[in-house]
Amino acid sequence: MDFISQWIAAWKIPIGRWGREFFDFLTGNFAWFFDSLAESLAYLLEGAVDLLLWLPASLVVILIAALAYLLQRSWKLALAVALGLVFIINQGLWPETVETLVLVVAAAAASMAIGVPTGIWAAHNARVYRLLRPVLDLMQTLPTFVYLIPVLILFGLGAAPGLIVTVIFASPAPIRLTYLGITSVPKPMLEAGEAFGATKRQLLWKVELPAALPSIMAGLTQCIMLSLSMVVIAALIGANGLGKPVVRALNTVNIPLGLEAGIAIVILAIILDRMARVGREHER
């Protein structure tokens, strides 16, 4: 190392120490908040999992297949959903699949609840989007493992931290796609609505949101896929589901278990993706 590099390294900026002091401050003063939030989320998630596991697996499969038919009006899709879930049951991974399904649905719902209003706000306020854009860029470029460190420190191990880290990871997608959908609404449509005396609220609900719906639903699909991509990562901080057998297979080089869990994740991803699609041609 040359002299200049040694001199620069000698004056190291103590980012790590500052970060530790910051998190020590949070855990020392707001531990009650983080603990209560984690306990509340864990109670809700575990309650939903217990309810689905209490019901017969065959009944849950029928209900999900029926929901797929109602959403897409495709008996072929409903049959494929049922066969995919039956295969998962056959592989002995039904409890893990239910845990993953609850986590993904909860994370996608929370991400959309955050992302859609934020995207609408950013679309109507250029200053807000200018502030959000570098934050979203940072969130989408950070390695996934980086999210685990602060969440683990603040919330500990369990299903709740897995949900929180998944929501943080998946939220930028609906924000960006909602913003894109709202800002892409043709100006003649807005001008026509204004000409008929529509208020800003009426323009939003009757013109902008219907026109931006395909983009918003694409954000939902992205949310689901990003949430599923965090399944294995979240298992490292105690989240249950299909990520646990994958991690166990990696640690023990158990190829059959890893293959079975991996296929189950792929099947679940395909099922959720097809069910969440809007605007596709319905198969009769």
Side-chain angles (χ1 to χ4, degrees), residues 90-186:
N90 173 261
Q91 297 299 302
L93 293 170
W94 180 247
E96 292 83 358
T97 301
V98 168
E99 291 167 343
T100 296
L101 181 63
V102 169
L103 177 64
V104 169
V105 171
S111 298
M112 292 298 289
I114 295 169
V116 173
T118 305
I120 293 171
W121 186 27
H124 289 110
N125 192 320
R127 182 178 299 177
V128 171
Y129 184 68
R130 283 197 299 270
L131 293 174
L132 277 178
R133 186 173 180 178
V135 177
L136 296 176
D137 291 340
L138 178 64
M139 292 175 69
Q140 291 185 304
T141 54
L142 279 176
T144 53
F145 281 94
V146 174
Y147 290 100
L148 301 183
I149 300 170
V151 172
L152 182 62
I153 294 172
L154 297 176
F155 298 98
L157 296 170
L163 173 63
I164 293 169
V165 74
T166 304
V167 170
I168 295 172
F169 180 68
S171 293
I175 294 175
R176 284 192 183 277
L177 286 168
T178 300
Y179 170 83
L180 178 63
I182 296 295
T183 55
S184 299
V185 176

Side-chain angles (χ1 to χ4, degrees), residues 22-105:
F22 174 69
F23 283 108
D24 287 343
F25 169 78
L26 289 179
T27 54
N29 295 275
F30 301 100
W32 58 271
F33 170 76
F34 296 116
D35 290 344
S36 60
L37 179 60
E39 291 173 2
S40 300
L41 292 175
Y43 176 79
L44 293 174
L45 291 174
E46 291 170 3
V49 169
D50 290 342
L51 175 61
L52 289 176
L53 291 178
W54 176 77
L55 295 172
S58 56
L59 176 60
V60 177
V61 169
I62 292 172
L63 291 175
I64 295 176
L67 179 61
Y69 178 78
L70 290 175
L71 290 174
Q72 300 296 341
R73 296 296 177 183
S74 169
W75 66 266
K76 294 180 181 178
L77 175 62
L79 179 61
V81 167
L83 291 176
L85 294 176
V86 168
F87 174 80
I88 290 174
I89 294 173
N90 173 261
Q91 297 299 302
L93 293 170
W94 180 247
E96 292 83 358
T97 301
V98 168
E99 291 167 343
T100 296
L101 181 63
V102 169
L103 177 64
V104 169
V105 171

